[in-house]
Structure formats: structure tokens, C-alpha cells
Amino acid sequence: MRRQFLTVGLFIAVGTLVEAVVETYDYIVVGSGPGGAPLAVNLARAGYSVALLEAGIDLGDNKNYSEIFNFNAAANDEKSRWDFFVKHSDDEAREAKYEKSTWRTADGSFYVGLDPPEGSTRLGIYYPRAATLGGCAMHNGGICTLPNDADWDYIAEITGDDGWLASNMRKYFEKMEANEYLPLDTPGHGYDGYVNTTISDPSLMNQNSDLQKLASRLISRVGGNAGRDINAPDPDRDQATGVFGMATHADRNGKRAGTNTLLKRTLADPAKFNLTVQLETLVTRIIINWEAGEPSATGVEVLRGSHQYEADPLYDTAKQGKFGRIFARKEVIVAGGSFNSPQILKLSGIGPAKELEKFHIPVVKDLAGVGENLGDNYEAGLQSLASKPLNGSAGPVAVFLKTPTARKTRNIQAWCGSFSFEGFWPGFPTDYGPTEYECAVVHINPRSQAGHVRLRSNDPREMPEINFNFFAKGGDEDLTEILDAVKTFRKALNSAGAPITPFDERHPCPGVNQNCTDKAQKEFIKLQTYSHHATSTCAIGPADDPKAVLDSKFRVHGVGNLRVVDASAFPKVPGAFPVCPTFMLAEKASADILAAAEIAE
Ligand SMILES: Cc1cc2nc3c(=O)[nH]c(=O)nc-3n(C[C@H](O)[C@H](O)[C@H](O)COP(=O)(O)OP(=O)(O)OC[C@H]3O[C@@H](n4cnc5c(N)ncnc54)[C@H](O)[C@@H]3O)c2cc1C
Ligand SMILES: *[C@@H]1O[C@H](CO)[C@@H](O)[C@H](O)[C@H]1NC(C)=O
Ligand SMILES: *[C@@H]1O[C@H](CO)[C@@H](O)[C@H](O)[C@H]1NC(C)=O
Ligand SMILES: *[C@@H]1O[C@H](CO)[C@@H](O)[C@H](O)[C@H]1NC(C)=O
Ligand SMILES: *[C@@H]1O[C@H](CO)[C@@H](O)[C@H](O)[C@H]1NC(C)=O
Ligand SMILES: *[C@@H]1O[C@H](CO)[C@@H](O)[C@H](O)[C@H]1NC(C)=O
């Protein structure tokens, strides 16, 4: 770490000479996830000095993180965990029925379920996040799927910025990808980027095994094949349904690729780019300067130390880190993710004035959309136990569906295989043994994005209040679409016949008869839906849209030298899996910021 030391003078009151550290970089990037990491690297590679500030530590060499198949262990690992607890609605009775509700017991441990021991406090619905070098791309499942083209074109349409058109965004995908599953020079793909992509070996489908049989039942019902390219630049891809290979951001040896590997490679580059990564650095506030008559970001305030944030399992309110300030000659770019970016803006006086005033935060810019518009993919699963242990080594397959009530584009992405995924709670998931089979369903384009991230205090160490307000609008339609997907999968699986069937379904219609009413199944899905793709709390949109926080080039409306570049910037939840879209968004932001810097010089 390079530092400049300046002696600032005498404090008359105490009469001692104090030494203050003044650190100044061209750019400050807050957060090293899929938004922040590629951006910081691109700016440094373009010749600028960049400070990348990350609250967590580096776990890139730890096998929980470097081996993609350990993703569940990673998400449960205390070393990176930020434990958020959220609500799905304001309806207490509905919340109380969430089967995986998490409680803090009197002895300080977690209890998960509906019947907590006496003296427990309900924490809410567990929502994991990774605070570590690389962000949630270090503990996620790694599924890399581009959204429907319509999702990109929508951003171009609301902003008039053609850079957002799917045809242009594809260039960023080609730049960042290092494809390992297609022949070299397949159109629409890249081979020299940092996001290695692979699919599970489709030749495993040639075995005579139970898993192969179930996959082929799916294929005969919905079409496609296990080797089909899920990210092909098919002009009609928004309508393409059926089975595809499931691409993940890992290489053929199962090594996780992305944020952390990119940062490590850049720091080790003999070209010695001027990138300074500061770990265990919690950004608490953006420093605002009013000299130009308009507010403008000039730096950040930080707390340096371990476990500074309340979501950290080892948080200790008494152990406050060391206060510091870091300055930016050009810009501050916030990339703390969909929960933390709006929190950082609000703590800095950028957000809904009423909310800020409630916590005595001086208003810098009254911006109603900060922390609002929170959306997520609704998720549910057809979770079943077969009549026999399922043999075979075929990996999960991805499936796209367009159910009868879909709007213009395909509306469901799922993955089917021998696993169980029923949402999140401390210690997830449940292992039901070798008979388990699931089609995990991700709904695309929720009709409602009525959630919010709001402050609970002006203490930057405290977690905000997060309420997804699921199904607030068009809920019944969305539930119908999810149920239709479940029914399609159920039919396909049941057609496998003995000895695999009958399936003993766990949910949404428990038992071997599976004769629940639609109403009962929708009610189950509504109450037990889960999610982990939060976006849109600092949404891009025109300045006259009360929900909009950023312009099309990620600049915060009404505040100079300040941008937000992470999943919070998407005005709508992108597709079914946000991580690769966020990598692409970071590439666009890099291009926008570098273009602006060139003009300024
Ligand atoms: C368990 C899990 C599994 C997932 N699986 C998939 C998947 O298979 N496919 C997919 O597409 N998506 C998946 N996702 C979602 C995906 O990983 C996220 O959408 C993506 O990582 C978002 O990137 P981001 O840059 O917006 O934020 P994040 O990845 O959250 O990164 C934000 C970073 O900022 C740091 N930070 C936050 N606040 C501060 C602060 N005040 N000061 C300093 N640093 C700060 C955090 O520590 C973190 O490192 C998954 C998410 C989870 C939680
Ligand atoms: C890197 O950036 C820092 C901060 O701006 C500066 O002090 C330092 O001189 C730079 N180093 C090089 C090698 O350019
Ligand atoms: C991996 O994570 C688990 C928790 O899921 C933890 O118990 C274990 O110690 C971690 N392993 C390493 C090598 O850090
Ligand atoms: C798996 O089990 C099926 C019966 O369900 C059997 O026909 C098949 O030979 C087995 N395959 C392997 C690879 O063990
Ligand atoms: C990804 O691919 C590059 C070459 O393109 C290779 O050097 C690297 O080891 C691969 N794996 C990871 C995890 O980056
Ligand atoms: C539904 O299943 C239950 C047992 O799980 C059975 O008692 C009932 O008769 C079934 N109803 C129909 C309509 O098949």
C-alpha cells in the first residue's frame, strides 16, 4: 500500500503535533464484487490510480471458495458471511408461516423453524451475502446465464442510451468470457476474458443411468439437449425454450473464476498497474464537497478493522475500527451490492429526505428512489424423493420455459438434478440422501418490485431494514407461472416410470398422489418462496422518474463525481441469474467512465 504522509500542524488545544495520513487516488471503488472488481481493474489498467475498498478479507486460496462445488460450504463459512435477515411482506401472519424462519435463541445460537424455544427472538428470513474479496461471486452457485435480450433493450429504451442494447452488451460478454465449452471462434463468445465458463459434460448423458433417464424425460417433454449453448447469440433467444447445458463461471478443473482471480492476476501483473486493494475497510460515508455550488463526491470515510459490520457473525459493537479518510481526484464509485450501496448513499445524505431527516442525516440530495424498487427472482422448487437411490453422474441441466400466461418472452429458468435447494437458513441445505431430485425454479421478470432497503439508524455499522414486499402486484399471475412450470416438471419426472417412480414429493404438493389443488400449491409457493438475486435499489432511469437514482452512465442524479456500479443499478431484475449480467454492466461502466475521463483530460 502506498501512502503519502503529511504533517498538518499543531492543535492548539492540546499542543501536540499530530500526523495525518492523506491518501488520494484518481478513483475510489467501494466493494469488490462483480460490479466493483472488474471496474477497478479496468480503470487501473487504463493507467489511473485506483483504491478498491473491501470490508471483507481475501479467501481466494481457500478451497471453500476456489472450488466451485464447495459453494454451499462457502456460503455457510463464518469467514465471509454477512448474515442479513429480511422480510417478504408487512403481513406478520404471513411471515410467521415461513417454514425456515430464523430465530436467535436465549443462548445466542440460531434456531430455524416454526417452533422456537422459549425466549427466542425472530430474526426473519435469512439472506446470505459474501463480504470477501470478490463479493458474492465467491460463494454463489456460479450459474452464468445472460438475461433475455429484451431486458437490456428495456434499459436502452427508458434512457435513450443505445449502449445498453443487447447487441452492444454482447460485446462486453465477449470481452469478459473465457469460454471452455465451445469450439474456438463460436460467434457471440469470448476466449480471452477472465470469466471462464464451462458446462457439465454432456457425454455423461450417454450413460444408462437414472439421472440420464430423468434428463431425457425432461428433454422429450420440453425439447433441447444437455449440450445446447445457453448463451448463444440466437436472434430469437428470448423465445428459446427447453433443455440447455448449465454454464457456470468456473474452469474445467472446477476452479471458480471471476472477481478474485481477476484481481489477483492484475495485482501480480508485471506491468504494475496502480491498483491498491484495501481489505477490512468498511466505507461508512461519502465525503461531499459543495464548492461548485452543487454537491460533489471527493472521497470516503472508512472504519478499518475486522468484523466492523453488524451482519458479520463475529461483529462486536464495542470493537470499533480505526477511522480514516480517503480522497478521490476524479470519482467515487459505489459497488457495495443491492443492500449496501443504498445504505452508503443514504448515510451520506443521498436518499429520500424524509427518511434521512428521521435519522438526523443532513440532506445532500433528496432522491426518493434510493433503496426503493428492490426486486428479486421468485424461487421455488419441485422437490421429490425417488423410489430408489438415483445412480449416474450426469450433472444438472438447465431448462427454459415459456408458460401459457407469459408476457412477451420466456419466463422461467430452472435447473434439474439430484440435489436439494429450498432457500436459505443458517446451515442450509438439507441433504435428503441419494433419492433426492429437484427442479429448482427461477421466475423471470417479477411483475412487482415493491421492496425496499431502509435505514434503521444513522449508524453505518448497523444493518438496514429489508422488506421485499413480494407479490405486491401481479402476484397471482406470477404464482400461476411458477406453478405451471412445476406441473411441467412433475409430469416429465413422473413419466420416468418404475423403479424410479413413484416420487414422494416434498413440495409444493407433498406425498405420492400429488393431487393438491392449484390454490393450495400457489399458497404454499407464495408463503415459502425464497430468493437470492436482489437488485435495483439504485435504479438507472431518467431524472424525472421518482424511482430513478442513476443516469444511463451510472452517475447519481444531482451529485457530481459519484456513480453506483453493481446489481443495484438494474432498473429491473435482469433475467434469472444476475452475476454475469453484473459483470457485463461493470464492463459498460468502465467504458463510460473511461470515455468521460478522456474528455476531461
Ligand atoms: C448464496 C448465493 C448464491 C448465488 N448464486 C448465483 C448464481 O449461481 N448465479 C448468479 O447469476 N447469481 C447468483 N447469486 C447472485 C450474485 O452473486 C449477485 O447478484 C452478485 O454477486 C451481485 O454483485 P454486486 O457487485 O452487486 O454485489 P456483491 O457481490 O454483494 O459485492 C459487494 C461487495 O461490496 C462489499 N461491501 C459492501 N458494503 C461495503 C462497505 N460499506 N464498505 C466496503 N465494502 C463493502 C461486500 O463485502 C462485497 O464484497 C447468488 C447470490 C448468493 C447470495
Ligand atoms: C499510484 O497512485 C498513488 C496514489 O495516487 C500515487 O501516490 C503513486 O505515486 C502512484 N504510483 C505509481 C507507480 O504511479
Ligand atoms: C468451509 O466452510 C465450512 C462452513 O461451511 C467451515 O466449517 C470450514 O472450516 C471451511 N473450510 C475452510 C478450509 O475454511
Ligand atoms: C442405474 O439403475 C438402473 C435401474 O434404475 C439400472 O437399469 C442401471 O443399469 C443403473 N445404472 C448404473 C450406471 O448403475
Ligand atoms: C481460466 O482460463 C485461463 C486461460 O484463459 C487460465 O489461465 C485460468 O487458469 C483458468 N481458470 C481460472 C480459475 O481462472
Ligand atoms: C388425494 O390424495 C389423498 C391421499 O394423499 C387421497 O386420500 C384422496 O382420495 C386423493 N384425492 C383425489 C381426488 O385423488
Side-chain angles (χ1 to χ4, degrees), residues 305-521:
S306 51
H307 319 301
Q308 287 303 298
Y309 195 60
E310 188 190 12
D312 187 315
L314 300 179
Y315 175 73
D316 178 349
T317 181
K319 290 188 185 147
Q320 179 156 327
K322 196 162 174 273
F323 177 82
R325 285 198 182 91
I326 307 172
F327 294 95
R329 273 183 288 268
K330 289 179 169 291
E331 296 190 12
V332 173
I333 299 141
V334 178
S338 296
F339 298 158
N340 291 91
S341 286
Q343 183 180 19
I344 295 167
L345 292 190
K346 287 182 188 187
L347 291 167
S348 314
I350 303 159
K354 267 205 192 115
E355 182 184 345
L356 304 183
E357 280 156 7
K358 197 161 108 194
F359 300 110
H360 313 292
I361 299 170
V363 178
V364 166
K365 171 72 189 170
D366 179 11
L367 212 47
V370 180
E372 301 299 305
N373 196 43
L374 171 65
D376 212 328
N377 298 114
Y378 300 126
E379 294 184 74
L382 170 68
Q383 225 284 318
S384 284
L385 305 180
S387 286
K388 68 171 291 262
L390 297 171
N391 65 29
S393 42
V397 290
V399 190
F400 268 107
L401 299 178
K402 186 175 179 189
T403 65
T405 58
R407 287 154 288 174
K408 287 188 178 127
T409 52
R410 53 192 183 175
N411 61 342
I412 297 288
Q413 188 178 342
W415 71 106
C416 299
S418 180
F419 62 88
S420 102
F421 176 43
E422 304 170 290
F424 299 96
W425 59 91
F428 81 98
T430 305
D431 179 356
Y432 295 102
T435 66
E436 68 185 4
Y437 197 86
E438 175 158 342
C439 285
V441 175
V442 184
H443 179 265
I444 298 172
N445 297 145
R447 285 172 171 77
S448 172
Q449 286 195 202
H452 64 241
V453 174
R454 293 188 187 148
L455 295 179
R456 287 193 294 152
S457 76
N458 62 6
D459 179 352
R461 304 181 68 195
E462 199 171 305
M463 282 187 274
E465 184 246 319
I466 301 165
N467 186 337
F468 280 89
N469 268 318
F470 274 162
F471 305 110
K473 217 179 74 196
D476 195 57
E477 287 98 321
D478 287 344
L479 287 164
T480 297
E481 294 178 0
I482 298 168
L483 178 59
D484 284 341
V486 165
K487 286 179 177 173
T488 297
F489 295 134
R490 188 184 282 141
K491 268 198 192 127
L493 302 186
N494 285 345
S495 75
I500 296 174
T501 64
F503 277 102
D504 180 6
E505 186 169 317
R506 295 205 58 264
H507 51 73
C509 181
V512 290
N513 290 311
Q514 295 143 26
N515 63 0
C516 307
T517 62
D518 286 3
K519 187 163 176 276
Q521 294 184 79

Side-chain angles (χ1 to χ4, degrees), residues 94-169:
R94 174 171 149 194
E95 297 298 290
K97 291 180 189 149
Y98 190 77
E99 288 175 0
K100 303 296 186 188
S101 290
T102 301
W103 306 69
R104 179 81 65 195
T105 65
D107 71 10
S109 61
F110 290 126
Y111 165 85
V112 178
L114 297 174
D115 190 19
E118 225 180 274
S120 304
T121 319
R122 191 173 187 282
L123 296 168
I125 297 167
Y126 182 61
Y127 200 110
R129 298 261 95 188
T132 181
L133 190 65
C136 295
M138 293 303 287
H139 75 174
N140 70 9
I143 298 177
C144 174
T145 312
L146 270 54
N148 285 328
D149 286 346
D151 289 355
W152 296 123
D153 294 345
Y154 169 77
I155 310 179
E157 186 193 309
I158 62 167
T159 61
D161 178 350
D162 286 352
W164 283 104
L165 289 173
S167 50
N168 190 59
M169 295 307 290

Side-chain angles (χ1 to χ4, degrees), residues 178 180 191 196 251 255-257 261 265:
E180 298 192 16
Y191 297 84
N196 307 45
D251 69 14
K255 296 265 182 259
R256 182 184 287 276
T261 48
R265 229 165 277 160

Side-chain angles (χ1 to χ4, degrees), residues 539-577:
I540 288 172
D544 59 4
D545 175 351
K547 290 228 159 114
V549 175
L550 310 174
D551 73 6
S552 78
K553 302 199 182 312
F554 306 88
R555 293 177 289 221
V556 175
H557 286 304
V559 184
N561 298 338
L562 181 64
R563 303 193 208 222
V564 179
V565 178
D566 60 21
S568 72
F570 288 107
K572 290 191 176 173
V573 182
F577 289 95

Side-chain angles (χ1 to χ4, degrees), residues 175-392:
K175 174 175 181 259
M176 75 189 214
E177 190 187 23
N179 188 292
E180 298 192 16
Y181 67 90
L182 290 167
L184 208 63
D185 297 329
T186 305
H189 286 277
Y191 297 84
D192 308 316
Y194 66 94
V195 183
N196 307 45
T197 56
T198 42
I199 61 173
S200 54
D201 182 358
S203 72
L204 296 172
M205 289 294 165
N206 303 332
Q207 286 176 343
N208 169 28
S209 73
D210 299 327
L211 292 180
Q212 181 280 330
K213 182 156 195 192
L214 287 166
S216 58
R217 296 320 298 158
L218 286 164
I219 289 165
S220 56
R221 188 154 285 271
V222 300
N225 65 69
R228 188 155 57 135
D229 177 17
I230 200 163
N231 291 324
D234 172 358
D236 208 24
R237 64 189 298 280
D238 294 9
Q239 308 299 326
T241 60
V243 168
F244 292 84
M246 193 171 81
T248 55
H249 55 81
D251 69 14
R252 59 171 66 85
N253 301 315
K255 296 265 182 259
R256 182 184 287 276
T259 45
N260 188 286
T261 48
L262 171 66
L263 287 165
K264 292 295 179 49
R265 229 165 277 160
T266 306
L267 292 168
D269 197 299
K272 293 200 187 308
F273 300 113
N274 204 340
L275 172 65
T276 304
V277 176
Q278 300 190 19
L279 300 172
E280 299 193 311
T281 302
L282 181 77
V283 171
T284 55
R285 211 172 67 88
I286 300 154
I287 302 169
I288 301 287
N289 176 304
W290 285 86
E291 269 165 30
E294 296 280 312
S296 177
T298 54
V300 296
E301 293 181 354
V302 301
L303 288 175
R304 292 193 161 101
S306 51
H307 319 301
Q308 287 303 298
Y309 195 60
E310 188 190 12
D312 187 315
L314 300 179
Y315 175 73
D316 178 349
T317 181
K319 290 188 185 147
Q320 179 156 327
K322 196 162 174 273
F323 177 82
R325 285 198 182 91
I326 307 172
F327 294 95
R329 273 183 288 268
K330 289 179 169 291
E331 296 190 12
V332 173
I333 299 141
V334 178
S338 296
F339 298 158
N340 291 91
S341 286
Q343 183 180 19
I344 295 167
L345 292 190
K346 287 182 188 187
L347 291 167
S348 314
I350 303 159
K354 267 205 192 115
E355 182 184 345
L356 304 183
E357 280 156 7
K358 197 161 108 194
F359 300 110
H360 313 292
I361 299 170
V363 178
V364 166
K365 171 72 189 170
D366 179 11
L367 212 47
V370 180
E372 301 299 305
N373 196 43
L374 171 65
D376 212 328
N377 298 114
Y378 300 126
E379 294 184 74
L382 170 68
Q383 225 284 318
S384 284
L385 305 180
S387 286
K388 68 171 291 262
L390 297 171
N391 65 29

